[in-house]
Amino acid sequence: MPIAVNKLTDPAVRAFVGALNAHDRESFKAALAPGATMSDDGSERDIGDWTEREIFSSNGHMDVERQTADGLGLVARYRNDAWGEMRTAWRFTVQDGKVERFETGQA
């Protein structure tokens, strides 16, 4: 049973997942700190290119299965039109209420 987005404990992570699932580019950008960075399966990626390809233009969606005690780590079923569905791990670094870095990859 997925964890409802409004039950995610960290407000920045909650805003990130909510915007991702709503395909709301503006809210997603607002959840990120200026200069935010990311990696996918251990490789640094351009956050703008990656999010457009993996989230917005491919109908990305995250069903969170569990979160770490600090709310900054998630395991989720992630799906999009490009890759189908896979189990993924997400780790967030939050500064001043915004996501300044996220790392994702297969779980």
Side-chain angles (χ1 to χ4, degrees):
M1 185 70 141
I3 298 170
V5 173
N6 67 354
K7 300 293 186 196
L8 297 174
T9 55
D10 185 273
V13 173
R14 189 167 55 242
F16 178 101
V17 175
L20 184 156
N21 285 349
H23 304 120
D24 183 337
R25 284 178 175 87
E26 292 309 309
S27 293
F28 188 84
K29 286 180 189 174
L32 299 175
T37 62
M38 63 141 320
S39 70
D40 183 5
D41 282 328
S43 297
E44 292 298 311
R45 303 286 186 204
D46 177 276
I47 200 166
D49 290 345
W50 188 92
T51 56
E52 183 58 36
R53 185 177 64 255
E54 301 292 338
I55 298 171
F56 299 112
S57 65
S58 61
N59 297 305
H61 188 87
M62 184 188 304
D63 287 321
V64 178
E65 294 179 348
R66 67 177 189 262
Q67 63 182 327
T68 56
D70 65 4
L72 297 176
L74 306 176
V75 173
R77 302 287 317 170
Y78 187 80
R79 67 182 177 275
N80 67 24
D81 294 344
W83 304 105
E85 184 174 294
M86 65 187 79
R87 197 156 185 256
T88 56
W90 299 73
R91 186 79 194 149
F92 297 89
T93 304
V94 173
Q95 184 72 36
D96 298 325
K98 304 273 187 183
V99 172
E100 68 176 13
R101 180 169 178 80
F102 67 94
E103 298 170 348
T104 187
Q106 292 196 48

